[in-house]
Amino acid sequence: MEMSKEVKVSVPEIYGSLVFGDRVMKERLPKETYKALHQAIEEGRSLDLNVANTVAAIMKNWAIEHGATHFTHWFQPMTGFTAEKHDSFISPMPNGTALMEFSGKELVKGEPDASSFPSGGIRATFEARGYTAWDPSSPAFVKDGTLYIPTAFCAYGGQALDKKTPLLKSMEVLNREAVRMLHLLGLPEVKRVDVSLGSEQEYFLVDKTLYKQRKDLLFTGRTLLGAAAPKGQEMEDHYFGVLKPRIAAFMHDLDTELWKLGVPAKTKHNEVAPAQYELAPIFENINIAVDHNQLVMEIMKKVADRHDFACLLHEKPFERINGSGKHNNWSMCTDTGINLLDPGDTPMENLAFLVFLTATIAAVDKYADALRCAVATAGNDHRLGANEAPPAVISIFVGTELEHVLTSLINGTPLESAENSVMKFGAHVLPAFHKDNTDRNRTSPFAFTGNKFEFRMPGSALSCADPNIVLNTAVAEMLSEMNAKLMDVEPEDIEDTVRPLLKNMLMEHQRIIFNGNGYTDEWLEEAKKRGLPNLPSVPDAMPSLISEKNLALFTKHRIFTAEELNARYAIRLENYSKTIHIEALTLQDMVRKDFTPALFRYMCTLETEILQKRAVLPDLPSTLEEHILQHMSSVAEAIGIRIEKMEDDLRKAESIGDALSCARFYHDVVLADMDALREEVDIAEADIPDSELPYPTYAKLLSSAI
Ligand code: ADP
Ligand code: MG
């Protein structure tokens, strides 16, 4: 028998092998250069050109050793994807040979033609110049023969055109306010507070050949048509199920590729819906975690292709089964190793914990609408509020233990000690262990999970930068308000001043706390009574992005200028309308060019069948054929009416000038037209033989990845 060809990988050997990270830099850079670079990163200063030249030369040699011939400034424009333009290292010599060169200037600064990236009106196409600037705090790496240099991207006028710049700014602001607070609380040894992020990534895998037969998946990432498969997720047998061999091989390959790039892929499992999976990394510094999540999404697609799968990252690729999210696990950690959201054994005595917890609760309440905006996309609209995802209303789950803490803070009463927290299975052979101090609440959009908050609203395709820019800035703002009140308080009076301050803040913001089931209609009613915003769609949410309150937040902390924020508002709305426009055109194409011809062919078969039967044996009944034919004929009529309505409305949509009204129209009218059309097509599809259908069915797609 042939031996398995599987090559064993030594993880410690490959881990980070394609990354120009700290280990390589320490090994290869002159001591002085290494020190200067580190200082620049830690203190957030820009780099001296001499240092940059030395780093560039050594980085280039290392990259060439790892197969690179090119370098690219890798950036994250407002498309939500990454962008790259590759330049080779070659420098031709007069004698016909070539040197491989890479200067400090090339490392530090790039000048891509920026005219074709979304700018929201910040720059016209004739002002093509944009700049990319090296972000030395996220390590460079080699991928497919190119040295990738993480960079920030801005316009000639200095306006940020990307997602990294505001993220870095929000980290700096949070760091500044958090350190100030910790110094006031008597922890002068803390020099830095970093934000940590672990982002769980959900995705679907379908067979590549079938994927290519569906224009909707190819052009829009989701199915626009499709009758339900006989079996969906109702048996609840996929979640955590055994990994099928083809899936396991894909996941193994994916982990290996990610580990080489220094992405700490940790957990993999089957998700709830058929053909749905999840990957969770170990948390990291948020800037690196955001870059790594972009790599995760990209490598997932690449490795899937190699295994003859297509990886779907859309938030709702299939109707009637779960969509995909990206859980954003977020915390703050000091350079002295304290997780500021870790309650410890005696949370009531842990003043820093109480302060950072309260600041987060207050931030999420006050800026719930901005957070909601950050995750509002055409794709995610299909998910939020559907019964597998959190509702569009933001609330916080804290769990019973923390609820006791908050109550005793508000009432000034001692903490009721938790009851028996030892977990017993009942069979003695099993170990006894301490229970976590919170249960899991899967229905809450923002849940405390022991020593971090998990924001569950982000959609699977989103850049993690978006929600975290808001979260970091909002928490920094609450801390800065508290700092202002504590600034002149004598150290011995701090504690007595902080506790009433926390009490007041909690009383003001406790409406955001909800520990019940977030999927019920009762909760939506209750949320309305509490005055919590319910913003179910992009056009509902987006106006609050530029509200006076949110504009004040972002401009005060210099995350966005008013111009930049307005640009982002315009881009988001435009992106929404364009997405639905493309979806409607794809649906139109599929129905007119593929589906109705198939429907007519099938009707023709039935007609021929009936006629032939009559010709041969006039007395034989053909009730079934006639019924199906009548049914198909009436559905065909309805399809005709509905597609014409959609086409009319699409023309109307194109003539609406105002971005918000246009998005509203796409949401209220065009999406509704698409749903109505789909309804009829799906009814017909369910009766047409698979062999006659112009595209593979849900049943085929969802069972193809095995
Ligand atoms: P779940 O049960 O929600 O599926 P897991 O516990 O498997 O999640 O994963 C939670 C995620 O939270 C992981 O990516 C983990 O690295 C991350 N995480 C753990 N601690 C922190 C922290 N202090 N800050 C940020 N993320 C964290
Ligand atoms: Mg989770």
Side-chain angles (χ1 to χ4, degrees):
M1 206 172 76
E2 201 188 337
M3 291 292 288
S4 159
K5 291 230 180 67
E6 196 178 311
V7 187
K8 293 231 163 21
V9 290
S10 154
V11 181
E13 242 167 70
I14 60 159
Y15 193 83
S17 57
L18 296 177
V19 182
F20 191 72
D22 197 56
R23 184 181 52 84
V24 185
M25 290 199 265
K26 210 171 200 165
E27 231 170 67
R28 301 202 177 200
L29 295 180
K31 256 203 185 92
E32 283 311 301
T33 315
Y34 177 77
K35 231 173 89 187
L37 181 61
H38 246 259
Q39 244 171 9
I41 296 172
E42 259 156 42
E43 291 161 20
R45 282 186 295 104
S46 41
L47 210 61
D48 180 88
L49 192 60
N50 282 331
V51 178
N53 277 329
T54 313
V55 178
I58 291 169
M59 198 190 264
K60 176 205 68 187
N61 289 340
W62 170 86
I64 291 171
E65 280 170 36
H66 289 81
T69 52
H70 289 67
F71 71 94
T72 183
H73 275 201
W74 187 59
F75 58 103
Q76 299 170 24
M78 290 183 284
T79 54
F81 306 108
T82 56
E84 54 193 45
K85 169 174 75 90
H86 302 235
D87 282 305
S88 74
F89 292 122
I90 63 158
S91 169
M93 302 303 286
N95 65 358
T97 60
L99 290 179
M100 296 296 259
E101 285 187 338
F102 184 51
S103 69
K105 225 176 116 206
E106 286 172 303
L107 166 63
V108 171
K109 188 177 119 190
E111 292 186 25
D113 177 341
S115 55
S116 298
F117 292 105
S119 74
I122 281 181
R123 28 173 333 293
T125 27
F126 57 85
E127 303 167 307
R129 205 188 284 276
Y131 293 111
T132 49
W134 179 34
D135 166 19
S137 61
S138 180
F141 52 91
V142 168
K143 186 166 70 66
D144 304 325
T146 294
L147 168 66
Y148 280 73
I149 301 158
T151 59
F153 177 48
C154 72
Y156 183 69
Q159 304 93 332
L161 291 177
D162 71 343
K163 305 208 174 204
K164 187 187 269 285
T165 309
L167 178 73
L168 288 171
K169 287 181 178 175
S170 74
M171 291 161 60
E172 281 175 19
V173 171
L174 182 54
N175 169 47
R176 187 187 65 217
E177 297 302 332
V179 169
R180 261 184 207 160
M181 172 58 79
L182 291 168
H183 289 180
L184 287 168
L185 294 179
L187 293 161
E189 66 280 11
V190 174
K191 298 277 177 290
R192 270 196 77 77
V193 168
D194 280 319
V195 186
S196 51
L197 173 72
S199 60
E200 301 161 57
Q201 178 71 47
E202 292 179 339
Y203 61 99
F204 279 84
L205 289 177
V206 296
D207 187 85
K208 186 162 76 180
T209 319
L210 299 179
Y211 166 83
K212 285 190 172 160
Q213 293 165 29
R214 298 227 26 155
K215 290 178 187 166
D216 46 7
L217 286 179
L218 279 171
F219 297 143
T220 75
R222 74 176 178 110
T223 53
L224 302 167
L225 294 170
K231 178 174 183 270
Q233 64 191 50
E234 43 293 277
M235 300 299 281
E236 302 180 326
D237 53 357
H238 194 252
Y239 191 56
F240 283 14
V242 176
L243 299 177
K244 298 267 173 41
R246 221 181 129 193
I247 300 296
F250 158 81
M251 287 179 169
H252 175 79
D253 207 2
L254 174 63
D255 281 340
T256 309
E257 292 288 320
L258 290 173
W259 289 336
K260 285 186 202 162
L261 293 168
V263 179
K266 167 87 173 160
T267 310
K268 50 188 179 186
H269 60 81
N270 284 3
E271 257 302 328
V272 173
Q276 191 186 27
Y277 308 92
E278 179 182 300
L279 179 146
I282 295 171
F283 67 94
E284 300 178 276
N285 167 292
I286 195 164
N287 179 38
I288 297 173
V290 169
D291 286 357
H292 279 172
N293 180 254
Q294 290 289 354
L295 279 177
V296 165
M297 292 193 284
E298 183 192 319
I299 305 290
M300 271 179 174
K301 293 199 160 176
K302 191 170 102 181
V303 175
D305 189 66
R306 209 189 284 160
H307 287 253
D308 289 327
F309 289 132
C311 171
L312 310 179
L313 291 173
H314 193 282
E315 284 80 3
K316 193 77 178 172
F318 303 99
E319 284 298 312
R320 304 177 196 93
I321 56 170
N322 280 8
S324 299
K326 170 144 42 200
H327 294 173
N328 192 87
N329 294 276
W330 178 95
S331 189
M332 295 161 282
C333 194
T334 68
D335 57 345
T336 56
I338 309 169
N339 176 353
L340 293 165
L341 291 178
D342 189 342
D345 293 335
T346 51
M348 281 309 281
E349 319 310 320
N350 188 344
L351 207 55
F353 166 71
L354 296 176
V355 164
F356 284 87
L357 174 71
T358 306
T360 310
I361 291 173
V364 172
D365 182 40
K366 184 161 178 194
Y367 296 103
D369 54 356
L371 263 180
R372 171 67 187 92
C373 278
V375 301
T377 62
N380 214 18
D381 273 7
H382 297 289
R383 187 178 153 259
L384 298 179
N387 66 2
E388 90 275 7
V393 180
I394 295 189
S395 64
I396 301 181
F397 168 84
V398 292
T400 15
E401 187 101 353
L402 261 199
E403 176 122 71
H404 288 157
V405 170
L406 297 179
T407 314
S408 74
L409 256 182
I410 292 177
N411 300 336
T413 50
L415 183 63
E416 286 173 46
S417 72
E419 302 121 40
N420 185 7
S421 64
V422 174
M423 180 84 195
K424 290 197 187 116
F425 280 100
H428 289 107
V429 63
L430 300 173
F433 51 77
H434 284 278
K435 282 204 248 187
D436 290 314
N437 52 13
T438 55
D439 192 4
R440 290 168 188 256
N441 179 325
R442 297 275 172 197
T443 68
S444 177
F446 205 94
F448 185 74
T449 48
N451 57 6
K452 62 189 186 290
F453 275 105
E454 179 174 4
F455 186 33
R456 302 211 180 96
M457 273 182 155
S460 46
L462 195 75
S463 158
C464 298
D466 293 301
N468 290 301
I469 292 166
V470 180
L471 192 53
N472 295 346
T473 312
V475 174
E477 166 60 16
M478 299 327 293
L479 289 171
S480 111
E481 286 175 21
M482 292 158 96
N483 285 334
K485 290 187 179 129
L486 299 174
M487 215 166 61
D488 299 322
V489 175
E490 294 299 324
E492 60 270 25
D493 299 330
I494 282 285
E495 176 145 9
D496 289 343
T497 320
V498 168
R499 286 188 189 267
L501 181 62
L502 297 182
K503 172 182 168 162
N504 288 340
M505 287 175 72
L506 286 171
M507 285 178 45
E508 187 183 342
H509 296 290
Q510 63 183 335
R511 64 173 186 166
I512 193 79
I513 293 171
F514 174 64
N515 288 326
N517 183 351
Y519 290 175
T520 62
D521 290 338
E522 290 77 41
W523 164 237
L524 291 186
E525 270 307 303
E526 164 72 15
K528 200 168 167 186
K529 278 193 212 132
R530 295 190 189 186
L532 301 177
N534 183 1
L535 305 165
S537 74
V538 170
D540 292 317
M542 224 37 83
S544 48
L545 183 65
I546 49 169
S547 70
E548 213 172 301
K549 172 187 61 125
N550 294 331
L551 187 64
L553 172 74
F554 292 118
T555 52
K556 172 180 169 187
H557 295 288
R558 298 174 192 275
I559 307 298
F560 298 119
T561 61
E563 183 195 23
E564 286 171 332
L565 198 63
N566 278 305
R568 271 157 216 256
Y569 165 79
I571 291 171
R572 302 286 299 281
L573 284 173
E574 193 184 271
N575 180 284
Y576 178 81
S577 296
K578 278 185 185 165
T579 303
I580 296 177
H581 192 78
I582 292 168
E583 287 180 350
L585 291 181
T586 307
L587 180 59
Q588 178 194 28
D589 182 289
M590 287 175 80
V591 173
R592 284 225 183 265
K593 293 197 187 157
D594 304 325
F595 187 79
T596 36
L599 176 59
F600 294 152
R601 276 196 301 275
Y602 183 48
M603 285 165 71
C604 215
T605 315
L606 292 165
E607 286 151 11
T608 318
E609 162 92 16
I610 296 166
L611 282 176
Q612 284 180 352
K613 221 181 209 179
R614 278 189 198 144
V616 181
L617 289 163
D619 293 339
L620 270 193
S622 44
T623 328
L624 180 59
E625 297 92 315
E626 282 168 31
H627 272 176
I628 300 177
L629 185 57
Q630 265 160 2
H631 178 53
M632 289 292 137
S633 174
S634 67
V635 177
E637 286 304 298
I639 290 175
I641 294 167
R642 292 184 181 190
I643 196 165
E644 277 173 23
K645 162 132 175 41
M646 184 181 83
E647 288 163 347
D648 275 351
D649 288 333
L650 264 181
R651 275 188 289 277
K652 282 184 203 151
E654 280 174 301
S655 65
I656 303 174
D658 171 62
L660 183 60
S661 318
C662 184
R664 265 253 79 87
F665 188 84
Y666 273 105
H667 176 269
D668 296 350
V669 181
V670 178
L671 265 184
D673 289 344
M674 290 168 64
D675 283 345
L677 174 57
R678 173 186 185 146
E679 201 185 329
E680 294 297 336
V681 175
D682 288 357
I683 290 174
E685 187 203 291
D687 273 351
I688 299 178
D690 280 5
S691 57
E692 306 299 316
L693 283 171
Y695 46 76
T697 59
Y698 268 30
K700 261 194 194 163
L701 280 169
L702 291 171
S703 58
S704 67
I706 47 175

